[in-house]
Amino acid sequence: MKEPFVHPLFIIHTLQQAGHEAYFVGGAVRDMILQRKVGDVDIATSALPDDVMSLFSKTIHVGIEHGTVVVLHEGEQYEVTTFRSEGEYEDFRRPASVQFISSLVEDLKRRDFTINAMAMNEKGEIIDPFNGREDLRNQLIRTVGNPEERFHEDALRMMRAVRFVSQLAFSISDKTKRAISEHGDLLKHVSVERITIEFEKLLLGKRPSLALALIADTKLYEHLPGLDIGEEAFRRLCKYDWMMLEDISECWTLLLYLLGVDPDLFLRQWKLANRQIKAVKLQLGGLEDVLKNGWSKETLYQLGEESALRVNRVLQLVRSTNYLHTTLLISRYRELPIHSMKELAITGQDVMTWLDRKGGPWLSTLLQDIEKKVLNGELQNSKGSIKEWVQSCKQILEERY
């Protein structure tokens, strides 16, 4: 047994010593078999939630009605969930009822895909009732049981299937693919926020182009915010090597550039946070400036180093001649006389004193002009130089501002 499974073995052993079954389950088992980095380690048990809470001194009741208790062990958190079966799904997302059961296989049966429906015992032995390991070997995404039933239970599973295609560079079974094609409209029952999470993971995956092609094949784009643009237009998105991008804001920037749509309207359809929308709009504006005029001091300054590097990666992906080697771009940015208005050698109070005027809109405009002159090398960034310029132009400035 290797980490990260060694540490939570204490939980497994504690449950077993109390007469309960306990296993590692889900994505952690899948990723261990694939030799990928393992994320959260989850545990399934025959113990009821009350039993779990009585066995461990530190627990958090996060989803006790669905059988889940978080156990805190030596600074780490582990979800421990009672074996369960689920009743009818009322909203294509959540079961109307949950029944606690004693069978591991029945618990695994309710999961989405075969590669996520495996368990591992304390000895490292794999329990695989639905041939998940074979699907891993064949690099195949396949639902547990009937895909139509799985997608009617939880419509988000269609987006999860596409996301796994990107993250694992797998293909999807014909039956599962056909069910997505026939039932994509069920996504209307899923919150946009949850769809966005899956879509962003897709864009940052190992092979986004594979997943985008699958979305085109199944016409799932017709049910995604702002992407019902027709198959031919959507397939153009698949031609780009999205895996070259490193940050989700770069992905949204490229998507907006390729679609040529209103960024505010489009990003709000996806329910992105205001901070993220602001960052993407800044990068989109910078991208358009560079494509039109090349890298200027003003564009570098407005973007800042981090956003400039992101825009530059998008430029490389679209094969723009304005792409710069990273080292050169960083050098140009760092050679700027200033990198923000805070670096100006003067303050607004200085200007008001020199001109003997009270503050107002004029002051902000004048400071921006000073900032631009310093940036472009027309004015040295020293208090003496700026004061001399302000005083030499005092009459003109007072008329203009």
Side-chain angles (χ1 to χ4, degrees):
M1 187 73 68
K2 297 180 180 180
E3 287 292 1
F5 297 97
V6 173
H7 189 256
L9 271 176
F10 167 78
I11 300 174
I12 297 281
H13 290 152
T14 300
L15 288 164
Q16 289 176 332
Q17 289 165 8
H20 306 291
E21 294 182 47
Y23 304 87
F24 299 114
V25 292
V29 178
R30 175 199 69 222
D31 290 340
M32 182 209 65
I33 295 172
L34 290 173
Q35 298 185 332
R36 296 176 79 228
K37 181 180 179 181
V38 174
D40 295 335
V41 175
D42 297 330
I43 294 169
T45 179
S46 60
L48 295 173
D50 287 343
D51 297 327
V52 175
M53 288 186 289
S54 69
L55 288 170
F56 301 97
S57 59
K58 296 180 179 179
T59 60
I60 304 173
H61 313 159
V62 293
I64 194 168
E65 69 278 7
H66 293 108
T68 300
V69 176
V70 170
V71 175
L72 285 77
H73 174 55
E74 295 181 348
E76 299 292 334
Q77 297 185 7
Y78 301 96
E79 285 194 3
V80 178
T81 303
T82 303
F83 299 157
R84 70 191 193 200
S85 64
E86 297 169 342
E88 294 294 324
Y89 281 67
E90 296 181 332
D91 56 3
F92 302 92
R93 183 70 190 97
R94 296 178 182 85
S97 61
V98 170
Q99 295 81 40
F100 298 138
I101 56 178
S102 58
S103 167
L104 170 65
V105 173
E106 285 299 310
D107 179 78
L108 296 175
K109 186 177 181 180
R110 68 180 175 79
R111 297 175 185 264
D112 52 6
F113 306 108
T114 59
I115 61 172
N116 296 331
M118 296 179 287
M120 181 172 69
N121 66 18
E122 77 283 2
K123 298 178 182 178
E125 297 168 339
I126 304 298
I127 297 92
D128 180 21
F130 305 104
N131 299 317
R133 277 183 294 185
E134 181 180 351
D135 286 341
L136 287 179
R137 285 193 293 270
N138 294 329
Q139 299 186 334
L140 188 69
I141 306 296
R142 181 170 60 89
T143 60
V144 176
N146 187 326
E148 293 189 1
E149 291 180 8
R150 297 291 83 76
F151 297 150
H152 273 79
E153 289 169 351
D154 183 352
L156 187 66
R157 286 171 173 167
M158 290 182 284
M159 286 299 298
R160 284 172 55 81
V162 177
R163 185 249 291 184
F164 282 126
V165 166
S166 175
Q167 289 184 320
L168 302 177
F170 281 14
S171 58
I172 191 167
S173 76
D174 290 340
K175 195 172 181 180
T176 302
K177 182 177 179 178
R178 187 162 55 250
I180 293 175
S181 298
E182 294 173 356
H183 301 287
D185 64 312
L186 294 177
L187 283 179
K188 66 187 176 185
H189 299 287
V190 180
S191 72
V192 172
E193 290 87 349
R194 298 188 69 85
I195 293 173
T196 299
I197 290 171
E198 298 297 329
F199 189 65
E200 290 189 331
K201 288 179 180 179
L202 177 164
L203 293 177
L204 290 174
K206 187 177 178 181
R207 293 292 300 276
S209 297
L210 280 179
L212 292 172
L214 176 59
I215 290 176
D217 291 344
T218 58
K219 298 189 184 302
L220 203 58
Y221 60 84
E222 294 179 351
H223 311 288
L224 298 178
L227 290 180
D228 189 6
I229 55 177
E231 184 175 346
E232 183 178 350
F234 189 84
R235 284 196 183 277
R236 285 200 289 269
L237 306 180
C238 309
K239 297 178 181 179
Y240 292 86
D241 193 4
W242 293 77
M243 60 187 293
M244 290 173 58
L245 303 180
E246 299 178 8
D247 179 89
I248 191 58
S249 69
E250 298 168 29
C251 298
W252 287 115
T253 300
L254 174 63
L255 187 59
L256 284 165
Y257 168 70
L258 296 175
L259 294 175
V261 296
D262 177 81
D264 266 310
L265 177 62
F266 182 80
L267 296 176
R268 293 194 187 285
Q269 283 181 288
W270 285 89
K271 301 292 182 70
L272 296 194
N274 289 334
R275 176 182 53 80
Q276 192 174 10
I277 292 175
K278 183 178 179 181
V280 173
K281 287 174 64 180
L282 173 67
Q283 290 168 193
L284 180 63
L287 176 66
E288 292 171 343
D289 286 344
V290 176
L291 286 169
K292 185 176 181 180
N293 304 309
W295 283 105
S296 65
K297 290 182 178 179
E298 288 87 351
T299 301
L300 275 171
Y301 180 77
Q302 290 167 2
L303 286 172
E305 184 174 315
E306 189 174 296
S307 290
L309 289 171
R310 290 172 178 167
V311 167
N312 202 45
R313 281 191 286 270
V314 177
L315 288 168
Q316 182 181 25
L317 193 148
V318 299
R319 299 182 181 180
S320 168
T321 55
N322 290 316
Y323 167 75
L324 294 180
H325 190 280
T326 300
T327 304
L328 178 57
L329 183 69
I330 292 174
S331 176
R332 285 194 184 181
Y333 176 77
R334 294 182 180 177
E335 287 171 358
L336 295 176
I338 56 173
H339 300 94
S340 74
M341 188 174 283
K342 292 179 181 179
E343 294 183 9
L344 281 178
I346 56 97
T347 65
Q349 185 61 51
D350 292 327
V351 175
M352 288 189 290
T353 300
W354 297 335
L355 296 178
D356 192 24
R357 292 181 64 181
K358 293 182 179 180
W362 68 272
L363 180 59
S364 176
T365 304
L366 179 54
L367 286 172
Q368 289 173 15
D369 284 351
I370 294 172
E371 176 187 36
K372 187 174 181 179
K373 286 182 177 295
V374 170
L375 179 64
N376 289 319
E378 300 171 20
L379 190 57
Q380 187 179 344
N381 187 31
S382 70
K383 194 167 187 176
S385 297
I386 297 173
K387 179 179 181 181
E388 182 180 346
W389 178 78
V390 170
Q391 290 182 329
S392 68
C393 305
K394 183 175 181 179
Q395 184 174 349
I396 297 174
L397 293 175
E398 288 177 346
E399 293 174 357
R400 183 179 299 172
Y401 301 101

